Amino acid sequence: GVSSSLEKLFTDTSKLPGDHLLDAAKSGDPLAVSVLSEAAFLIGKGIATLIHIMNPELIVLSGRGAKAGKMLLAPAHQAIHEFCIPRLSEYTDIKVSALGSESELLGAALLVIGNCEFAEIQVQLETNSKNQNTNNQNTNKATSHQLST
């Protein structure tokens, strides 16, 4: 076969293999471009199935997919056009996330914040604080009453 920079890049353990693949594809390595193109086609095939099942208006590619950017979109669109009913796919927009690999972390943080009931926690804290102050005042009154008798 053809010589590839991937062989040398994969010996470097400072990065994940997927990151090395993306770097090599961006620099024009033929093997990396071929592997990425094949993976993007398979992702597009999966997106076509998703479109048939859910009929979404928008699909956002994120993570390493966002790092690959436009290199990922062409083969994915090719698979979608091949495997999806055109009437469905024409109403689905596919975009690459501007957040890159941090989108998953931000999404998880939003889920946590959205599902936490901060108002209830605040009310409980205030109620507990008031109850503790009332208990302390009652204890102080009882102690001073005992001392005076």
Side-chain angles (χ1 to χ4, degrees):
V2 178
S3 176
S4 174
S5 64
L6 289 174
E7 186 177 354
K8 183 179 179 184
L9 288 173
F10 282 165
T11 60
D12 176 15
T13 58
S14 67
K15 284 185 173 181
L16 295 172
D19 292 331
H20 286 308
L21 177 69
L22 289 173
D23 291 344
K26 285 180 181 178
S27 68
D29 184 287
L31 178 61
V33 169
S34 173
V35 168
L36 185 64
S37 180
E38 187 175 330
F41 185 84
L42 293 173
I43 289 169
K45 199 172 177 181
I47 290 172
T49 303
L50 176 74
I51 291 170
H52 283 137
I53 294 170
M54 300 186 72
N55 194 19
E57 288 181 28
L58 175 66
I59 296 173
V60 179
L61 302 175
S62 63
R64 284 202 178 102
K67 286 182 184 177
K70 292 181 182 179
M71 289 188 294
L72 194 71
L73 287 177
H77 277 294
Q78 179 185 353
I80 291 166
H81 292 302
E82 187 175 330
F83 295 103
C84 192
I85 297 170
R87 201 175 52 199
L88 291 175
S89 65
E90 67 188 26
Y91 294 107
T92 302
D93 229 2
I94 299 174
K95 305 248 182 206
V96 176
S97 172
L99 298 174
S101 60
E102 294 185 8
S103 59
E104 291 88 0
L105 294 173
L106 292 171
L110 284 173
L111 277 174
V112 169
I113 290 170
N115 289 311
C116 276
E117 297 167 3
F118 291 111
E120 278 187 29
I121 293 170
Q122 183 64 31
V123 168
Q124 284 179 332
L125 289 173
E126 289 173 1
T127 303
N128 289 343
S129 178
K130 287 177 185 176
N131 288 343
Q132 189 174 6
N133 287 340
T134 303
N135 288 341
N136 288 342
Q137 288 173 356
N138 290 339
T139 303
N140 290 340
K141 286 179 184 177
T143 305
S144 64
H145 179 70
Q146 287 175 354
L147 292 175
S148 63
T149 52

